[in-house]
Amino acid sequence: MSHAPLVELIRDGLVEGVHHGSAVVLAPDGSTRFAAGDVDTPMYPRSTAKPLQATAMARLGLRLSPAGFAIAAASHSGEPMHLDAALEVLDGRSPDLLGNPADFPFDPAERDSWIAAGRAPARLAHNCSGKHAAMLATCELNGWATDGYLDPAHPLQRAIAATFEDLTGRGIARVAVDGCGAPLFATTLRGLATAVSKIATAAPGTPEGLVADGIRRHPELVGGNRRDVTAVMRAVPGLIAKDGFEAVQVAALPDGTAIAVKIADGGDRARYPVLAALLGLGGVAVPPGPDNLRFTLSVGSTV
């Protein structure tokens, strides 16, 4: 990807550092409201793909509570409420069946408490356990083997890939393995924004609508009580948002305005200021982030 300068770090009026990246804002009709960097070259969406994966499972007949769909689309912090929600989706199945690695909770405070209590890493505590619990449930619902459910050739993953292509409007450029062991499908930032717009504007009761409703009702499950992705959804009525490792971010308003961001260096420091600035372009006011980080419209950008 050919990234552009997006965020400047300012110290006493001088630019001390610059974060490069790419970002796109799509209007409700799908036209480009803003673009910077390279929004049409394939990249890995990381966990911003989870709402798309949850939609695929809903299309396969999975029916969960709103909290269940929220945790299925989550990169959760490992707070007790997250573990309880993942157990609800497991519905009596053993957490040992989860295909994600064992881990400590993602949130530093929760991780410290976990370790202080002498607890070992656990599959349930991994930030992707909700998604994997939903994958197990979807396999059992459709009569598919749960062994090997992370293989890209498994019927579940083939169905998720088909939904991913349908929502993004693009073919999958490359298949890799995400940090949790699930297949990771490469697409473009424009494709990601297109997909989250469809989810955000879906009619109630549709598969996409079930996922959007869960995210809106339970932003605390999608991230956590000390996470910016949860804070921004609490601040903006109707917003759905998802962050991902390597500084990827998507968000969409109820009218279909959609944002997708990738920070080149993979650092989270610049991700939220870009999101806040792009929401501001759409007339949505949210806290801008640290005072010394400034969003800059890049050369070649369109507004």
Side-chain angles (χ1 to χ4, degrees):
M1 298 176 74
S2 300
H3 295 291
L6 289 183
V7 176
E8 295 176 338
L9 175 66
I10 308 297
R11 186 183 298 276
D12 290 336
L14 293 179
V15 176
E16 185 177 37
V18 178
H19 292 280
H20 290 67
S22 297
V24 64
V25 181
L26 300 182
D29 64 1
S31 61
T32 303
R33 181 171 290 170
F34 171 88
D38 188 349
V39 302
D40 292 308
T41 294
M43 44 75 71
Y44 291 128
R46 300 303 301 265
S47 286
T48 63
K50 285 178 178 173
L52 286 67
Q53 293 166 314
T55 295
M57 291 186 274
R59 287 185 177 185
L60 289 167
L62 183 65
R63 292 296 178 266
L64 302 170
S65 67
F69 275 117
I71 203 70
S75 299
H76 65 74
S77 291
E79 298 171 57
M81 63 180 174
H82 298 124
L83 308 188
D84 289 344
L87 285 172
E88 177 188 318
V89 177
L90 280 170
D91 193 24
R93 304 174 188 89
S94 171
D96 292 337
L97 296 174
L98 296 169
N100 56 266
D103 202 356
F104 294 111
F106 178 74
D107 180 85
E110 297 297 332
R111 181 171 61 246
D112 289 349
S113 296
W114 190 283
I115 294 171
R119 302 177 71 179
R123 294 182 186 273
L124 189 66
H126 191 283
N127 73 92
C128 299
S129 64
K131 176 180 76 175
H132 284 260
M135 287 182 172
L136 288 173
T138 304
C139 286
E140 291 194 6
L141 177 67
N142 286 275
W144 297 330
T146 54
D147 289 343
Y149 76 89
L150 297 179
D151 188 325
H154 190 282
L156 171 67
Q157 302 302 336
R158 292 203 307 268
I160 290 174
T163 295
F164 192 92
E165 291 185 326
D166 177 57
L167 291 173
T168 62
R170 287 154 180 79
I172 293 170
R174 185 182 295 268
V175 181
V177 180
D178 211 340
C180 66
L184 175 63
F185 306 128
T187 189
T188 66
L189 287 174
R190 190 184 302 277
L192 271 181
T194 299
V196 295
S197 177
K198 291 176 181 177
I199 294 171
T201 58
T206 63
E208 292 88 336
L210 292 171
V211 174
D213 181 59
I215 292 172
R216 287 177 177 133
R217 288 197 193 191
H218 296 283
E220 74 284 353
L221 294 180
V222 177
N225 282 318
R226 290 175 285 272
R227 296 272 294 282
D228 60 55
V229 68
T230 292
V232 74
M233 285 192 283
R234 286 172 170 167
V236 182
L239 182 75
I240 65 171
K242 185 70 191 73
D243 52 350
F245 281 157
E246 295 303 318
V248 188
Q249 176 81 57
V250 295
L253 294 165
D255 68 357
T257 300
I259 295 167
V261 176
K262 162 66 182 173
I263 303 300
D265 59 26
D268 265 349
R269 182 171 73 172
R271 174 184 52 79
Y272 181 81
V274 175
L275 174 63
L278 295 181
L279 285 170
L281 289 179
V284 178
V286 296
D291 291 340
N292 61 339
L293 288 175
R294 181 178 69 192
F295 179 74
T296 177
L297 296 183
S298 308
V299 176
S301 301
T302 57
V303 179

